[in-house]
Amino acid sequence: MSEHGHSQPGHGSDATVHVVPFRILVTVWLALMVLTVVTVEVVYIDLGNLNLYLAMAIATVKGTLVALYFMHLRYDRPFHAIVFVTALVFVLLFVSLVLTDSGQYQPNIDLRQEQLLGK
Amino acid sequence: MQQSHQQHGEHRSAHLAHQFDTLDQQYQSGKLGIWLFLVTEILLFAGLFCVYAVYRANHPDIFIYAHRFLNKNLGALNTAVLIFSSFTMAWAVRAAQLGKKRALVNLLAITLLCAFIFLGVKYVEYQNKWKEGLLWGTHYHPIEEAAPSGEAAPADSAEAHYTGPPNVQVFFGIYFLMTGLHALHIIAGMAIIGWVLVKARRGAFSPSYFYPVDYAGLYWHLVDLIWIFLFPLLYLIR
C-alpha cells in the first residue's frame, strides 16, 4: 500500500515496484465508464467535423488514463513512457504523411474514374 | 532483502535467472521487453489505422452510410466489458503484488470471463453481418432488410433496392480486418491470462515474484487501449 513500494517484502531498497492504491483503480475505472457514456451520447449531437475530433479527444483521454494508471506508467521508470510515446509519435507521423500524400493524388483518381465511367 | 542475500553470497531466488544480479533488475528487463513488444503491436495496428484514415478522408460518405449497419449498443456493451476486464486485471496485479492469492485467482477468472463475454458479443455481431450479407469485397451482398431504416426499397430486382454509395464493401473489409485482428489479440490474451490463472492457483506467485501477472496485464491493457480507439472510429461516426 505504501506510495512508493519501498516496503514491499522481497525487494531491495532500490526496488521500483509500485502498488497502485485500490481507490485510484476504482476512480480510473469509473472515469473510463463516464467517458464511454459521453462519447456514445455526443454522437447524437451534430457538431459537424468536431464530432470526429471530440471522439478522438475522448478516446485519447481514456487511453492516457489506462496507460498512466492501469499500465503504471505514472509510477514507472520514465524510459517505458519514452518508448511508448516515441511509438505513438511515429504512428502520428506515419498516418499524417500518408494522409497528406493520398490527399494530393485523390483528385486525379476521381477524375480518371469519372472518365472511365463516362465512356 | 534480496540484495542483502546477494551481498552475503547466500542462496539466490529460484526465480532469478543467472544473468541477472537482482530480482528487480530481472523484473525491469522483462518489463522493458514487454514494452518493446507492445510498441511492435502498436505499429502493427497503425497500418490498419492508416488504411482507415486514408479511406475515410477520401470517401467520408461510405463511412457515414455503412456505419449504421453496426450495432452501437453491442459496441458500447463490449467497450464496457473490456474496460471492466482491464480494471479487474489491474486489480489482479495489485493482489499479486500484495500476495493475496485468493483475490488474484478470482480477479484473473473474472478477467477471463469478461474476455469470453466480449468474444460472445463479437460472435453475435459477426453472425448478423454474415446473415445480412455485409461482408468484405465480392462477398458483399446486402439483403433487403439490411438497408438502414428510412430508405425505401423498391423490390423490382436484386440490385434495385440498393441506395448507398459505391464501394461500401471496403468499409466492411476495414471493419472485419480491424476488429478481427483485435479479436485475435483477445484470444491470445485469454490464453496468456488462462496460463497465469493456472500458475496463480498453484501458488506460483508471491510479492517477490509477480512479474508474469504484471506482463500479462500490460498486454491486456494494450488490447483494451486499441479497442478504446476502434469503438468510436467504427461504431460512432457522424
Side-chain angles (χ1 to χ4, degrees), chain B residues 4-232:
Chain B
S4 63
H5 278 311
Q6 299 302 315
Q7 280 156 6
H8 296 104
E10 286 172 39
H11 74 281
R12 291 160 65 96
S13 162
H15 298 298
L16 185 57
H18 67 88
Q19 69 268 36
F20 296 110
D21 288 332
T22 62
L23 273 176
D24 190 56
Q25 186 196 22
Q26 177 172 291
Y27 170 55
Q28 290 298 338
S29 304
K31 204 166 177 178
L32 177 59
I34 292 290
W35 272 106
L36 290 175
F37 167 65
L38 295 188
V39 162
T40 67
E41 291 283 65
I42 290 169
L43 295 177
L44 169 67
F45 274 94
L48 295 182
F49 279 109
C50 193
V51 167
Y52 176 97
V54 168
Y55 209 69
R56 181 164 174 183
N58 293 319
H59 306 281
D61 49 324
I62 290 175
F63 283 76
I64 289 169
Y65 172 80
H67 94 277
R68 286 175 291 181
F69 293 111
L70 302 184
N71 189 326
K72 269 193 191 69
N73 294 332
L74 289 183
L77 172 68
N78 255 355
T79 309
V81 167
L82 215 52
I83 286 175
F84 183 72
S85 79
S86 228
F87 164 63
T88 55
M89 190 70 222
W91 192 0
V93 171
R94 183 188 144 80
Q97 288 170 328
L98 296 175
K100 294 176 180 167
K101 187 193 155 189
R102 236 186 112 83
L104 171 63
V105 169
N106 289 337
L107 286 165
L108 286 173
I110 295 171
T111 309
L112 197 57
L113 183 70
C114 286
F116 272 109
I117 296 172
F118 182 91
L119 281 187
V121 173
K122 205 82 233 151
Y123 172 75
V124 171
E125 286 190 79
Y126 279 2
Q127 199 186 31
N128 287 340
K129 297 288 154 296
W130 186 274
K131 280 180 186 162
E132 291 167 359
L134 301 169
L135 301 175
W136 54 89
T138 51
H139 301 284
Y140 180 73
H141 300 293
I143 57 167
E144 228 169 284
E145 300 92 276
S149 52
E151 287 182 29
D156 321 317
S157 74
E159 301 294 321
H161 68 272
Y162 184 72
T163 53
N167 298 328
V168 174
Q169 72 277 7
V170 181
F171 174 86
F172 289 100
I174 290 172
Y175 166 78
F176 278 104
L177 209 55
M178 293 185 98
T179 58
L181 186 65
H182 181 265
L184 280 181
H185 280 79
I186 294 276
I187 293 168
M190 287 164 76
I192 294 163
I193 293 169
W195 174 72
V196 172
L197 177 61
V198 168
K199 286 197 77 166
R201 275 177 64 96
R202 289 184 193 151
F205 303 120
S206 65
S208 63
Y209 180 72
F210 63 89
Y211 322 145
V213 187
D214 197 25
Y215 300 159
L218 283 173
Y219 172 78
W220 191 249
H221 296 313
L222 186 86
V223 174
D224 177 37
L225 220 155
I226 288 166
W227 181 260
I228 284 174
F229 281 89
L230 283 184
F231 172 55

Side-chain angles (χ1 to χ4, degrees), chain A residues 68-90:
Chain A
L68 281 181
Y69 296 99
F70 285 177
M71 297 173 97
H72 296 197
L73 274 186
R74 190 180 161 187
Y75 315 99
D76 215 349
R77 290 187 174 172
F79 191 64
H80 297 145
I82 292 170
V83 168
F84 183 53
V85 172
T86 307
L88 295 181
V89 167
F90 274 95

